[in-house]
Amino acid sequence: MQFRALPFPSAPSPALYMGTFPPRECGIATFTKDVVDSFDQAFGTHSDVVVIDEPGAESRKYDATVAARISQDDRESYARAAKAVNAHPAPMLNVQHEYGLFGGADGAWFLDFLEKVEKPVAVSLHTVLPEPSESHRAVARRICERSDAIVVLSQTGKDILSDVYDVDSAKINVIHHGVPDVPFRSTDGAKIAFGIEDRMLISTFGLISRGKGLEYAIDAMKPIAARHPEALYLILGQTHPGVRRHEGESYRESLHAKIASLGLEKNIRLVDRYLPFDELLNYLNATDIYLTPYLNPVQVVSGTLAYAVGVGKAIVSTPYLYAKELLAHGRGLFADFRDAESLASQTIALLDDPWLRRATERRAYRFGRQMTWPHVASEYGRLFNEFVPHEAALPALVGTA
């Protein structure tokens, strides 16, 4: 990847970031690392991170990128982290925020931290509930009031913050979920590498939990396999660590039992691993149809769906809020919630019609060009530039193929 100077007059400053971070295995950790890496690659900086640890993670080892740690259930650690942020040379802080990462009702202890930070803060909200409780709404509004800028990952999120939470729309910035900057590819090469060149590959990836609706996708495979015996559905990813702590592997075991009861062992496989990026990308490159049968209609962000759009997959999804935005204008097909027959019908439509499948892929890929990580880094750079002294600015860069 090469980078060149952008023509806009002012350039971004390095920032300090806050979020979960690898080796912790969760979506926010992956996202935070991707934001940091893409920003540093684009602008030649070396960014540090304040990490948020779940209970019991005191012995986790991080690399030198980590400048401070918050322990979710240790309220005093929030003040210590704020002190470290204030002492850090970076002129501003970006928080990759999820309510469940913080202690207190609705993650209210985050406000303890926020009130003590003495430099500009941009908070990236990964959850925006359209029908919040009064408590949740109050916490969210206070976060927005105390922050210098708010980032959401979809226009839908911005509309909800403005309409439901009464946040000034001028303060809200839409910066898409980042996706890999990869060329549009045929599935042939990746399938050969996996030894499945004679199969039509359907996939879903991500940390597994009951809200993913995978049981409906498994039921849908019965009529799909009857019409297309070559179809293979891969469910990629391990059980969410939080789910595993509370209920073990009961959900995954129920999926295995359902597959066996339907006699679909030749058409469905569960890959029980947290996939490194390169392996995940290889699976996506091999995928003909990507499924998100999720059950939550008000979900406003999905990193897995964003990735599938970014690499140009034909997608079948339930119509949760984020999917309705990303897959509009023929960029994907919709199936009804909790409806295996509907999932099967839409998937079969794409398997039956290669022209429809390829046209859907192309529309998704074109939309995804605005979501690539170099573009996201540039957007964060522009935002940071609004809140730091000009003399702190760095040369602005953008990725070019």
Side-chain angles (χ1 to χ4, degrees):
M1 183 72 67
Q2 300 296 318
F3 298 90
R4 59 179 173 81
L6 277 174
F8 58 87
S10 54
S13 167
L16 179 64
Y17 296 85
M18 178 175 170
T20 56
F21 203 71
R24 183 170 177 177
E25 296 176 346
C26 73
I28 298 295
T30 301
F31 187 92
T32 303
K33 186 177 190 310
D34 286 340
V35 170
V36 171
D37 287 350
S38 61
F39 189 92
D40 285 350
Q41 184 183 10
F43 299 110
T45 53
H46 178 78
S47 299
D48 292 329
V49 180
V50 177
V51 299
I52 309 150
D53 286 325
E54 74 278 30
E58 294 80 10
S59 63
R60 179 180 291 135
K61 303 296 184 183
Y62 293 101
D63 62 26
T65 301
V66 170
R69 298 171 72 160
I70 286 177
S71 180
Q72 179 178 348
D73 289 347
D74 177 6
R75 196 164 188 173
E76 292 182 359
S77 71
Y78 292 73
R80 292 194 298 269
K83 185 176 181 179
V85 168
N86 293 335
H88 194 278
M92 76 172 297
L93 173 71
N94 172 232
V95 180
Q96 298 297 328
H97 179 276
E98 184 64 75
Y99 293 94
L101 298 177
F102 301 98
D106 295 297
W109 290 2
F110 175 59
L111 293 170
D112 295 357
F113 167 84
L114 205 54
E115 295 290 351
K116 291 180 172 61
V117 173
E118 298 171 354
K119 58 183 61 177
V121 181
V123 176
S124 301
L125 293 175
H126 287 252
T127 293
V128 183
L129 298 179
E131 297 179 357
S133 66
E134 283 302 314
S135 171
H136 183 96
R137 185 175 183 274
V139 170
R141 279 181 51 81
R142 184 59 188 142
I143 291 171
C144 293
E145 289 167 0
R146 177 57 185 83
S147 303
D148 296 275
I150 296 296
V151 175
V152 291
L153 284 68
S154 65
Q155 182 62 43
T156 302
K158 180 174 182 175
D159 293 343
I160 293 170
L161 271 185
S162 178
D163 296 343
V164 178
Y165 296 80
D166 296 324
V167 177
D168 182 0
S169 62
K171 196 175 189 177
I172 309 168
N173 304 268
V174 178
I175 301 179
H176 282 289
H177 192 295
V179 300
D181 188 10
V182 296
F184 185 85
R185 289 191 175 101
S186 164
T187 61
D188 295 345
K191 285 184 179 180
I192 290 171
F194 286 116
I196 54 171
E197 56 268 28
D198 58 343
R199 309 298 293 267
M200 290 298 293
L201 184 59
I202 305 163
S203 74
T204 300
F205 82 88
L207 296 171
I208 289 178
S209 64
R210 294 184 185 277
K212 296 296 178 71
L214 298 172
E215 61 271 32
Y216 298 97
I218 289 170
D219 283 336
M221 281 301 298
K222 189 69 173 179
I224 292 170
R227 185 173 179 88
H228 288 275
E230 77 282 8
L232 172 64
Y233 180 35
L234 295 183
I235 299 173
L236 305 163
Q238 67 181 23
T239 301
H240 193 289
V243 172
R244 196 186 307 117
R245 282 196 301 271
H246 289 98
E247 61 176 81
E249 295 288 356
S250 61
Y251 180 55
R252 179 183 295 275
E253 290 164 1
S254 74
L255 299 180
H256 278 295
K258 180 177 282 290
I259 293 166
S261 70
L262 294 171
L264 291 172
E265 293 92 338
K266 294 182 179 180
N267 297 97
I268 304 176
R269 300 176 192 166
L270 276 70
V271 179
D272 183 11
R273 287 187 291 110
Y274 189 85
L275 300 177
F277 172 76
D278 288 344
E279 186 177 4
L280 171 60
L281 190 58
N282 289 336
Y283 274 116
L284 279 176
N285 285 334
T287 294
D288 296 290
I289 299 172
Y290 189 78
L291 293 186
T292 62
Y294 299 170
L295 305 182
N296 181 6
V298 298
Q299 184 170 337
V300 296
V301 177
S302 167
T304 63
L305 180 62
Y307 267 47
V309 168
V311 299
K313 296 291 103 177
I315 299 166
V316 176
S317 177
T318 49
Y320 52 94
L321 291 177
Y322 190 61
K324 289 168 72 175
E325 180 172 333
L326 254 61
L327 303 184
H329 307 296
R331 295 189 290 265
L333 276 62
F334 291 110
D336 296 336
F337 289 107
R338 303 174 185 271
D339 191 331
E341 183 178 345
S342 181
L343 284 167
S345 175
Q346 297 292 61
T347 303
I348 288 170
L350 289 170
L351 290 171
D352 283 352
D353 190 341
W355 183 91
L356 174 63
R357 191 168 66 248
R358 183 50 59 95
T360 306
E361 291 170 348
R362 289 288 186 181
R363 284 190 286 265
Y365 184 78
R366 284 195 296 268
F367 184 84
R369 292 304 82 209
Q370 67 186 300
M371 301 166 63
T372 62
W373 281 116
H375 187 85
V376 168
S378 179
E379 290 299 303
Y380 270 102
R382 290 175 185 270
L383 175 63
F384 296 167
N385 225 25
E386 299 177 13
F387 300 100
V388 298
H390 181 69
E391 58 269 21
L394 297 172
L397 308 169
V398 66
T400 56

